[in-house]
Amino acid sequence: MSDPMVEVRGVHKSYGGVEVLRGVDLTVERGEVTCLIGPSGSGKSTLLRCVNHLEKHDAGELRVDGDLVGYEARGGKLYERNDKQICAERSRIGMVFQRFNLFQHLTVLENITIGQMKVKGVQPDNARARARELLARVGLDNKEKNYPSQLSGGQQQRVAIARALAMEPKLMLFDEPTSALDPELVGEVLDVMKDLALSGMTMIVVTHEMNFAREVANTLYFLDAGMIEESGNPREILSAPKSERLRIFLSKVL
Amino acid sequence: MSTNGDATVKVVPVRHVGQWIAAAIAMVFVAMLVHTLFSKLPTGQYACHLVSGVRRCHQLSEWRFSWDIVGRYFFTSEILHGLLITLELTILSMLVGVILGVAIAVMRLSTNRLLSATAWTYTWFFRGTPVLVQITVWFFIAILYPVISIGIPFTDVTFFHFSTVSVFTPFIAGVVALGLNEAAYMSEIARAGLISVDEGQTEAASSIGMTRQQTLRFVVLPQAMRVIIPPTGNEVISMLKTTSLVSVIGVVELLGAATNIYARNYLIMPLLIVASLWYIVVTTVLSIGQFYLERRFAKGALRTPPPTPIQRLRRDVVGILSKFRTQRGALGETR
């Protein structure tokens, strides 16, 4: 009896005639960390963005916590959900972007409180208290009055993680969270993510950090040309890749 | 002083001789202009009086720019009332323009083709016809629509109706004409602001569960303001002067008031100067307001906000003083 957090079955997605996802199957168990690796253009980010419906998938079934993402099944038909319902779904799925995407006009503290206040209706005092708790957790409790442009990339990404956590997500999506960082700043972000994984958060991470994948991931998926080429235990896959494509890919990145 | 090994090597900046010559020529012209501003013209009339039994005459003269007359009319109630009407017209039509303009910009960016086509057509029409024509048309709108009624098109169902003439007074016609025209320009400014905000901001807002309206209101618009404000300030200043066009439909605003006065007394130049000076005064106040508004909405966009003119002045004064002090100190040491 399995009750996975995320279940992806035969998901397809194309952009103007180009098929980016060509029937992807993927399962993420509760409390597990799943890493997606693959060459650029393989569809990793698109798959991740389908999970919180930032992109609409064209075919296949995508469930988060048992519910279909973006659609409602009624009487043998799929009805697209309205803006409000999709937003409610998304608020429980945290997302961290490659380019941080912090709200530039708001301070660090306001970045973390705005979602709580406007989406969840949390009282300002409680929202601020929770934001400060989270800032302490990501090691930035002295930066709450700063604007994002005054922070380093690593600091911005940690604020972005805190912003996502403030919504009390059941699932966290990371879209190449360290790819836009200077090498010496990668560690501080990965540390926060490891911490989060240890606390039992369910996570899907698109990454090029093979060491992180090996250490933290429970399951590793290798995507190539819109399909899952290989998947399984990261240690086994990374040390003894079965497919030729993964072998070529690893020889380039390791 | 040796050049190598000396920590205090003196840097000699390049001298821009061409610039200096150009600046000197410019200054000569400025001086000529300033001189004419405060010079007098002969009137052709003579004043004569007896000085120790001898009749002495000299020609009378008056200010070339009639500053005494300008001063006399500057604060008359007729001019001040005109100024008030000008300000009311500016504020009201800019309000209509900004609110409608943002709405049209949002429509234009909508994924619904009908909405975006409607917005495009609006802008196309109101930018495509002269504002002077629009003002006149709104003034005579009762010819086309004697009665305005709200109901269901192509049926006889009406919810309410009123006579157009009773509503479209010259002032209202002016506000409607200027406001609707301005909305077309403002919509393009607002659209530029909205598309200048990085798509990542919208995605991040969506990812924490904000609806599209919330995203627009709390994330996109505040950041778009930074791009929207400078050209909008431009529009306000431009509108201030465009309001003078409504004098053609009989609204007595600032220029209208000045015109009315010189139609009676033929003091054309002094009254045009009175009106122009008032326009310049208001423009100056608006520019200062714009500076502080821009500063406010630059929050987070710049690591350090630009200094206000007062801060800059203080810094310059402190800088010059300290330079002066160190120079004196250096001199003291060499002595």
Side-chain angles (χ1 to χ4, degrees):
Chain A
M1 153 86 218
S2 85
D3 174 27
M5 178 60 83
V6 179
E7 218 177 349
V8 179
R9 292 286 162 261
V11 163
H12 286 256
K13 167 81 193 169
S14 14
Y15 292 109
V18 182
E19 256 203 322
V20 186
L21 296 177
R22 301 189 296 160
V24 172
D25 294 330
L26 173 145
T27 308
V28 180
E29 299 294 339
R30 284 166 199 278
E32 289 204 335
V33 176
T34 301
C35 279
L36 303 179
I37 60 169
S40 89
S42 60
K44 314 175 296 270
S45 291
T46 307
L47 177 59
L48 200 69
R49 292 158 64 86
C50 283
V51 172
N52 72 349
H53 210 57
L54 277 182
E55 305 282 355
K56 286 180 202 168
H57 52 283
D58 306 327
E61 199 180 295
L62 215 159
R63 287 176 187 276
V64 172
D65 206 8
D67 290 325
L68 282 174
V69 172
Y71 300 93
E72 199 176 341
R74 252 187 291 133
K77 279 187 186 162
L78 288 185
Y79 291 89
E80 197 173 347
R81 289 183 200 267
N82 63 30
D83 196 33
K84 216 171 173 181
Q85 290 169 321
I86 290 171
C87 287
E89 276 181 2
R90 276 195 196 122
S91 71
R92 300 299 311 279
I93 304 174
M95 180 139 186
V96 174
F97 299 86
Q98 181 177 354
R99 301 207 39 81
F100 330 131
N101 297 351
L102 289 178
F103 303 133
Q104 297 294 321
H105 63 304
L106 300 178
T107 63
V108 165
L109 196 76
E110 288 164 345
N111 261 280
I112 306 175
T113 53
I114 189 168
Q116 299 184 66
M117 279 156 37
K118 304 299 179 197
V119 178
K120 291 177 71 183
V122 177
Q123 290 300 310
D125 283 339
N126 298 344
R128 276 193 285 270
R130 168 122 181 95
R132 293 202 172 99
E133 229 170 78
L134 287 165
L135 278 176
R137 186 166 165 192
V138 298
L140 287 172
D141 32 0
N142 55 344
K143 295 284 186 196
E144 62 172 63
K145 287 198 178 66
N146 287 82
Y147 285 95
S149 61
Q150 297 166 322
L151 303 181
S152 75
Q155 289 170 334
Q156 290 193 51
Q157 195 60 299
R158 285 187 280 155
V159 173
I161 294 174
R163 174 177 70 181
L165 290 177
M167 303 306 290
E168 297 176 317
K170 50 192 178 187
L171 168 69
M172 284 283 285
L173 309 174
F174 293 85
D175 189 4
E176 303 199 26
T178 58
S179 297
L181 297 178
D182 290 340
E184 79 269 25
L185 303 177
V186 169
E188 62 188 62
V189 172
L190 290 182
D191 286 344
V192 170
M193 289 169 62
K194 278 178 202 165
D195 220 47
L196 198 58
L198 284 177
S199 75
M201 175 65 74
T202 313
M203 293 163 55
I204 307 180
V205 185
V206 171
T207 187
H208 292 291
E209 296 293 327
M210 295 304 155
N211 288 328
F212 176 82
R214 184 179 296 133
E215 264 180 67
V216 183
N218 301 91
T219 319
L220 185 71
Y221 285 84
F222 171 64
L223 261 91
D224 191 59
M227 299 214 287
I228 304 282
E229 188 72 22
E230 199 167 336
S231 64
N233 182 308
R235 281 165 219 274
E236 290 168 17
I237 291 188
L238 289 176
S239 49
K242 287 187 205 106
S243 82
E244 181 61 28
R245 288 207 184 132
L246 179 54
R247 213 168 297 149
I248 296 169
F249 175 70
L250 289 177
S251 73
K252 282 180 188 157
V253 296
L254 286 180
Chain B
M1 205 182 267
S2 67
T3 41
N4 48 347
D6 197 325
T8 57
V9 181
K10 200 178 176 218
V11 178
V12 183
V14 178
R15 311 276 182 220
H16 299 281
V17 181
Q19 272 185 5
W20 289 357
I21 295 169
I25 293 171
M27 282 307 105
V28 170
F29 280 107
V30 170
M32 285 160 74
L33 186 67
V34 170
H35 171 72
T36 63
L37 281 181
F38 299 104
S39 61
K40 292 191 167 186
L41 285 178
T43 55
Q45 291 172 328
Y46 289 83
C48 299
H49 35 230
L50 290 167
V51 180
S52 48
V54 184
R55 192 162 173 264
R56 291 258 174 90
C57 293
H58 65 269
Q59 198 175 167
L60 291 175
S61 62
E62 60 181 14
W63 291 107
R64 185 192 297 267
F65 280 82
S66 322
W67 293 122
D68 46 339
I69 303 172
V70 169
R72 208 184 312 141
Y73 280 98
F74 203 67
F75 291 109
T76 53
S77 65
E78 205 171 345
I79 289 289
L80 290 182
H81 185 258
L83 175 66
L84 184 69
I85 299 290
T86 290
L87 292 178
E88 283 174 7
L89 279 168
T90 308
I91 293 167
L92 290 176
S93 35
M94 276 316 290
L95 268 180
V96 173
V98 168
I99 294 169
L100 195 60
V102 170
I104 291 167
V106 172
M107 275 170 69
R108 181 80 196 278
L109 295 171
S110 166
T111 47
N112 184 309
R113 295 274 288 278
L114 273 179
L115 281 179
S116 83
T118 308
W120 182 88
T121 311
Y122 181 95
T123 311
W124 168 78
F125 181 75
F126 281 93
R127 285 201 308 187
T129 49
V131 67
L132 188 55
V133 172
Q134 290 177 27
I135 290 169
T136 320
V137 166
W138 281 110
F139 181 57
F140 291 113
I141 196 70
I143 297 173
L144 297 179
Y145 302 98
V147 174
I148 292 177
S149 60
I150 302 293
I152 300 168
F154 304 111
T155 67
D156 291 333
V157 184
T158 56
F159 301 118
F160 65 91
H161 66 280
F162 50 81
S163 128
T164 309
V165 182
S166 65
V167 175
F168 276 81
T169 61
F171 183 83
I172 296 291
V175 168
V176 169
L178 293 173
L180 295 189
N181 183 260
E182 184 56 34
Y185 290 91
M186 275 311 301
S187 77
E188 287 296 279
I189 292 172
R191 190 167 69 94
L194 292 175
I195 57 181
S196 78
V197 178
D198 185 41
E199 215 186 342
Q201 298 287 312
T202 318
E203 287 188 352
S206 305
S207 83
I208 59 172
M210 282 195 190
T211 61
R212 274 187 284 188
Q213 288 94 318
Q214 286 177 323
T215 304
L216 184 68
R217 185 166 153 210
F218 300 118
V219 176
V220 177
L221 262 183
Q223 294 187 65
M225 288 308 274
R226 210 170 72 81
V227 177
I228 292 175
I229 286 172
T232 303
N234 215 20
E235 290 296 308
V236 177
I237 287 167
S238 163
M239 176 62 81
L240 176 72
K241 287 154 297 173
T242 308
T243 54
S244 61
L245 290 180
V246 301
S247 56
V248 299
I249 55 170
V251 181
V252 184
E253 36 64 66
L254 181 51
L255 185 63
T259 318
N260 284 352
I261 298 173
Y262 73 61
R264 295 194 302 262
N265 60 17
Y266 302 107
L267 296 169
I268 299 172
M269 277 300 170
L271 279 150
L272 287 180
I273 292 173
V274 167
S276 303
L277 281 179
W278 271 119
Y279 283 118
I280 287 182
V281 167
V282 180
T283 303
T284 309
V285 173
L286 288 173
S287 308
I288 296 170
Q290 181 185 346
F291 175 84
Y292 284 95
L293 207 61
E294 272 177 38
R295 231 175 95 86
R296 189 184 137 78
F297 278 99
K299 263 194 318 186
L302 307 164
R303 281 170 205 212
T304 45
T308 62
I310 295 166
Q311 286 171 341
R312 201 157 41 194
L313 186 70
R314 192 184 300 150
R315 201 180 54 189
D316 286 350
V317 169
V318 169
I320 290 166
L321 283 180
S322 69
K323 206 170 175 183
F324 186 60
R325 240 176 254 131
T326 50
Q327 269 175 357
R328 249 199 340 202
L331 276 175
E333 274 165 36
T334 47
R335 273 176 202 167

